[in-house]
Amino acid sequence: MERLVFCLGAAALLRLLLKWSWRAWCGFRVHVLSRFLQVDLRTYGRWAVVTGATSGIGRAYANELARRGMDIVLISRSAEKLRQVAGDIESRFGRKTRVIQTDFTEGPSIYAAIEGGLQGLDIGILVNNVGMNYSELLSRFLDIPSPDCANHDPGVVPPQMTRLVLPRMIERRKGLVINISSEAGSQPQPMLAMYSATKIFVTYFSRCLDAEYRLRGITVQCVAPFMVFTNMTRHLGVNPLAKRAPEFAWEALNTVGHATFTSGCMSHALQVRHTLTKPTYIVDIMNGIMSMQANRTLTHLHHECNGVSQYKTM
């Protein structure tokens, strides 16, 4: 009997060691070896399309793709910023650019003009990055300042943009679609209800699309980072666990060809692993604490706006 228990224990331990060894190897391959085994992105096609390309992660991806030899189509809302970023890419990297000015919150009517702007281009890569937050502070759903934005959330733009470029990719039997999601979608996030919900949609859409078209030469990668310094997160200040956008884009593009679902960089992957090891009830408690803290912050700001220095918890 003792021998049987020993054998069962040894088998369980061996299984656990093999499981963690495999995970460690996968992490090492994706985030370390990938730095030395970078995929030549030019094999997908000549042009890369980047949405939300004038700041943050989008601009960092555009710069890094240009540095790796791609011509870039920049899509964003501000014509002035588009011209600035395009000029910077052309002068720094010697690559061609094309700009398409559009506001993704205007809904389905914008895609005909985008399709026209992409005509005649050998598009090998699409980076669906455009996103928005509704407030620089945590907000309850009914406190979102513009209800119209919720009806045309950029979090659901990837299907429309993918529909524009995917047919041609399938004809050539090669193409890369990168959808920027967020770890905010891995768990329910009170006070970020719309943002969190749209990001988990992006994650599921990406993983399903990759399974559907993988055998037709198309790679669909979902990148779900933790904190990256952008205009959307500038109010949170410096954080040693956060990445600056250019560093993040470099590491994330290294993972192409090595992972179709990734946090983008090693530090974020380790944070994901730490989060996933927490029991569900711990995550629920953390969400509850975050909700209470957000309530206090919102109440404090409300009273400050009314000239009141003291406040009570709502």
Side-chain angles (χ1 to χ4, degrees):
M1 185 65 180
E2 291 181 358
R3 185 179 180 84
L4 176 61
V5 171
F6 174 80
C7 291
L8 290 174
L13 179 60
L14 179 61
R15 180 178 179 275
L16 187 63
L17 288 174
L18 290 173
K19 177 181 177 181
W20 283 101
S21 296
W22 175 250
R23 289 181 176 178
W25 161 248
C26 290
F28 180 77
R29 176 173 56 84
V30 170
H31 297 293
V32 179
L33 287 183
S34 65
R35 302 181 181 209
F36 310 100
L37 301 173
Q38 296 178 9
V39 171
D40 184 356
L41 300 177
R42 293 171 295 183
T43 60
Y44 291 108
R46 177 179 172 185
W47 287 85
V49 179
V50 183
T51 65
T54 56
S55 64
I57 293 175
R59 182 169 183 173
Y61 260 88
N63 285 337
E64 185 61 28
L65 286 165
R67 191 185 70 81
R68 300 189 188 202
M70 303 291 296
D71 295 332
I72 310 296
V73 179
L74 305 162
I75 306 179
S76 196
R77 181 170 51 183
S78 169
E80 180 181 352
K81 290 181 179 179
L82 282 168
R83 288 191 295 269
Q84 178 186 346
V85 175
D88 182 58
I89 287 174
E90 290 172 2
S91 62
R92 288 176 60 193
F93 307 109
R95 305 308 307 176
K96 293 182 179 179
T97 63
R98 181 178 292 190
V99 300
I100 300 176
Q101 188 273 326
T102 193
D103 185 346
F104 284 99
T105 64
E106 293 179 0
S109 62
I110 66 173
Y111 293 101
I114 294 176
E115 184 175 17
L118 299 179
Q119 285 293 327
L121 299 182
D122 176 24
I123 298 172
I125 299 175
L126 168 65
V127 180
N128 280 312
N129 163 74
V130 67
M132 65 177 289
N133 204 353
Y134 303 102
S135 172
E136 290 194 353
L137 299 169
L138 299 174
S139 301
R140 300 182 188 86
F141 173 69
L142 292 180
D143 293 334
I144 294 174
S146 176
D148 289 339
C149 289
N151 295 328
H152 306 301
D153 192 292
V156 296
V157 166
Q160 295 287 355
M161 287 300 303
T162 302
R163 191 175 291 275
L164 295 182
V165 303
L166 187 59
R168 182 71 182 111
M169 290 180 174
I170 292 174
E171 288 178 10
R172 295 184 291 110
R173 296 194 65 83
K174 59 181 177 179
L176 169 64
V177 177
I178 300 174
N179 292 327
I180 307 298
S181 182
S182 171
E183 277 302 321
S186 63
Q187 296 284 345
Q189 302 291 336
M191 304 296 175
L192 289 171
M194 285 293 297
Y195 184 79
S196 175
T198 55
K199 288 305 182 182
I200 194 59
F201 166 79
V202 171
T203 297
Y204 281 9
F205 172 73
S206 303
R207 300 182 78 172
C208 291
L209 205 66
D210 182 66
E212 291 175 13
Y213 291 99
R214 186 182 307 157
L215 295 180
R216 304 185 72 174
I218 309 302
T219 299
V220 181
Q221 184 188 60
C222 180
V223 181
F226 265 96
M227 186 70 68
V228 178
F229 288 126
T230 66
N231 288 338
M232 289 174 57
T233 59
R234 63 184 184 274
H235 61 285
L236 297 177
V238 176
N239 187 317
L241 298 179
K243 276 280 184 182
R244 299 190 183 278
E247 301 168 359
F248 175 79
W250 179 77
E251 286 198 44
L253 279 173
N254 288 345
T255 68
V256 171
H258 300 279
T260 56
F261 180 70
T262 176
S263 298
C265 63
M266 183 181 293
S267 64
H268 289 186
L270 293 173
Q271 291 176 64
V272 170
R273 180 58 52 198
H274 174 67
T275 301
L276 292 179
T277 57
K278 290 186 177 72
T280 303
Y281 71 88
I282 295 293
V283 175
D284 291 340
I285 291 173
M286 291 173 66
N287 281 337
I289 292 172
M290 185 176 75
S291 179
M292 288 188 291
Q293 289 176 336
N295 278 333
R296 293 191 182 99
T297 301
L298 291 170
T299 307
H300 177 59
L301 292 173
H302 173 75
H303 282 263
E304 276 190 342
C305 290
N306 289 279
V308 180
S309 61
Q310 300 295 323
Y311 63 95
K312 298 179 181 179
T313 304
M314 297 180 74

